[in-house]
Amino acid sequence: MSLPVPFVSDIMDIQKDWIDYNGHLNMAYYNVLLDRASDEAFELMGLGPAYAKERKLTVYTAEVHICYVQELHLGDRVRVSFQLLDHDEKRFTAYQEIRHVDGWLAATSETLSLHIDMAGPKVAPYPADIAEKVAAMHSAHAVLPKPERSGRSIGIRRKTS
């Protein structure tokens, strides 16, 4: 099976109920868009809803860093990319971009996800078949350059005199 490099979601519409009192997309709904795109990418790695239901294993988000670059408004349509940056036997990091269908960047996100045994719940290694799929996506995405906006941290930069 050929994996998309990077994975790009279906087109999503900004919904009326997502617009805040400032007249643009409320920050919480950027997460909704990112999460929906992640779910599509997770399916390619075998980590979708059926995996959770049948095998009682899933993925939890441990950490996320979102950068809001340009406002989205009602009527805007977007796609979200997903690039698997790194992984080990229990975790992976991914970088995502929300782009307007016209191509401009609206937001970026970097996420650390944990593979979870729901019986605990506790962090657990991937089963061999899933580990193979995660490694395959990482290998496919390894041809992409490291995103310029990944690895960012939050802080106030002070000018030195």
Side-chain angles (χ1 to χ4, degrees), residues 83-129:
Q83 179 180 348
L84 190 61
L85 297 176
D86 198 6
H87 70 96
D88 66 13
E89 70 280 354
K90 303 180 205 180
R91 304 169 294 187
F92 62 83
T93 58
Y95 174 81
Q96 293 179 272
E97 291 184 344
I98 300 175
R99 288 195 174 269
H100 190 276
V101 293
D102 290 342
W104 51 266
L105 182 64
T108 66
S109 174
E110 194 167 3
T111 307
L112 171 65
S113 297
L114 307 175
H115 184 257
I116 300 293
D117 178 343
M118 294 165 69
K122 63 182 179 183
V123 180
Y126 310 110
D129 62 318

Side-chain angles (χ1 to χ4, degrees), residues 1-9 40-41 43-45 80-84 136-144:
M1 171 175 87
S2 176
L3 293 169
V5 179
F7 170 81
V8 179
S9 75
E40 289 182 49
E43 282 286 345
L44 295 175
M45 293 185 285
V80 180
S81 64
F82 179 98
Q83 179 180 348
L84 190 61
M137 182 174 280
H138 180 246
S139 179
H141 290 187
V143 302
L144 296 167

Side-chain angles (χ1 to χ4, degrees), residues 11 31 49 57 60 63-64 73 85 97 104 106 112 114 124 127 134 140:
I11 293 174
N31 277 305
L57 299 166
Y60 284 4
E63 185 174 345
V64 64
H73 299 94
L85 297 176
E97 291 184 344
W104 51 266
L112 171 65
L114 307 175
V134 170

Side-chain angles (χ1 to χ4, degrees), residues 42-80:
F42 288 2
E43 282 286 345
L44 295 175
M45 293 185 285
L47 297 167
Y51 179 68
K53 183 177 180 181
E54 296 163 13
R55 295 173 78 172
K56 306 300 182 219
L57 299 166
T58 194
V59 175
Y60 284 4
T61 300
E63 185 174 345
V64 64
H65 184 149
I66 297 175
C67 294
Y68 304 95
V69 179
Q70 189 168 336
E71 294 177 1
L72 289 167
H73 299 94
L74 185 61
D76 286 338
R77 304 181 80 212
V78 300
R79 287 187 181 270
V80 180

